[in-house]
Amino acid sequence: MDKSRKEALQRFCKKVKIRFKNLELLDLAFHHRSITNEKKHIQNNERLEFLGDSVLGIVTAAYLYNNFENPEGDLAKIKSAVVSEKALAPHAIEFGIDKLLILGKGEEATGGRSKPAILADCMEAVIGAYYIDSGYKNAEKYVLEFIIPEIEKTLSDGIKDYKTQLQELYQKQAKKCPVYQLVSKTGPAHDQTFCVNVLLGDKTFGPSQAKSKKQAEQLAAKIALDYLKEQK
């Protein structure tokens, strides 16, 4: 690997806040299969992409499971949306992956550097490489940096969480908004437990406990939402 390529990879790492012990492995993540078609002795990123796809999937699924109480069908829809080409390709461009891709001449000539499928696959290959290089926890941290905003965007675009559902239903019925009340916060700063109630007029639902205030509010909202639906 020449000096300029090494410096470009180091700039990429700095930009996305990751550290690679093995820059050769990271470099491999940018080698599209089209380069192998033209130069048989060069490896490509397909195996890393295969691994990265699985790491991306488990990180996303675990985050959704731990932070949302939506039914399995909703979680599957959210996961499908945020790990798609449509979601990943813009992040690849934002991170500068398009500029680091190594393509065969044919793929380069047909605009491969801007194809969503190639960009998304490379995103997954980088995840796979980082998992091998630095372990699951570091790969998880990297993935969550861009997946959490995608999840929040997906929710705001249509798949509604329990707080949103409760607010819409309660406003429709009572012309008022739910009020969330932090009952307690216990434990050390790195491992706190939040206890929350939600008030609908003079009725209190909860308390619900979780490792984040947001999640505790979601759990309390589900209790109140189930109650309102039963009353209909």
Side-chain angles (χ1 to χ4, degrees):
M1 186 191 309
D2 63 31
K3 183 180 178 182
S4 63
R5 180 67 177 177
K6 184 176 180 180
E7 289 174 348
L9 293 173
Q10 289 171 335
R11 286 194 298 272
F12 168 78
C13 289
K14 186 175 181 180
K15 184 171 186 176
V16 300
K17 300 174 185 176
I18 61 178
R19 296 181 68 180
F20 260 84
K21 296 185 284 288
N22 183 357
L23 281 179
E24 295 283 352
L25 182 61
L26 174 60
D27 189 47
L28 178 60
F30 294 102
H31 283 64
H32 184 252
R33 65 175 176 271
S34 60
I35 194 71
T36 305
N37 295 338
E38 296 178 9
K39 299 179 181 180
K40 300 299 182 184
H41 65 284
I42 297 179
Q43 290 183 302
N44 63 55
N45 65 5
E46 286 186 315
R47 283 168 53 83
L48 290 175
E49 175 203 330
F50 164 76
L51 178 60
D53 176 64
S54 294
V55 175
L56 174 62
I58 189 61
V59 169
T60 304
Y63 179 82
L64 290 170
Y65 180 85
N66 289 326
N67 289 278
F68 297 93
E69 291 293 321
N70 299 54
E72 182 272 342
D74 283 356
L75 299 182
K77 288 177 185 176
I78 298 168
K79 179 173 177 285
S80 178
V82 302
V83 301
S84 65
E85 280 180 21
K86 182 179 178 182
L88 293 176
H91 288 292
I93 294 172
E94 175 192 348
F95 295 165
I97 281 175
D98 55 325
K99 296 178 177 64
L100 290 167
L101 279 167
I102 295 177
L103 305 168
K105 291 179 181 178
E107 193 62 65
E108 186 77 70
T110 58
R113 205 167 287 278
S114 61
K115 290 180 181 178
I118 291 177
L119 292 168
D121 288 349
C122 190
M123 282 283 287
E124 292 176 345
V126 170
I127 294 166
Y130 196 40
Y131 169 76
I132 293 171
D133 184 87
S134 299
Y136 179 81
K137 278 296 179 184
N138 286 312
E140 177 186 47
K141 183 179 178 182
Y142 168 59
V143 168
L144 291 178
E145 284 288 329
F146 59 85
I147 281 295
I148 291 175
E150 282 298 325
I151 290 171
E152 292 172 350
K153 180 176 180 293
T154 299
L155 289 171
S156 68
D157 285 348
I159 300 175
K160 299 170 184 175
D161 61 16
Y162 289 124
K163 285 183 68 177
T164 304
Q165 292 182 57
L166 176 63
Q167 179 158 328
E168 290 180 355
L169 182 57
Y170 187 55
Q171 281 184 326
K172 184 177 180 180
Q173 291 183 358
K175 311 301 182 189
K176 297 178 182 178
C177 291
V179 176
Y180 293 88
Q181 179 183 64
L182 180 62
V183 179
S184 65
K185 182 172 64 173
T186 58
H190 68 281
D191 188 27
Q192 292 183 323
T193 298
F194 296 83
C195 186
V196 170
N197 284 331
V198 60
L199 283 64
L200 304 183
D202 60 356
K203 289 186 171 63
T204 300
F205 299 88
S208 293
Q209 292 186 344
K211 289 298 182 182
S212 73
K213 184 181 177 184
K214 181 179 178 181
Q215 179 61 6
E217 289 175 347
Q218 289 286 348
L219 295 174
K222 183 180 187 301
I223 296 170
L225 184 64
D226 289 345
Y227 171 81
L228 291 184
K229 287 179 176 179
E230 288 174 1
Q231 303 307 303
K232 294 176 71 175

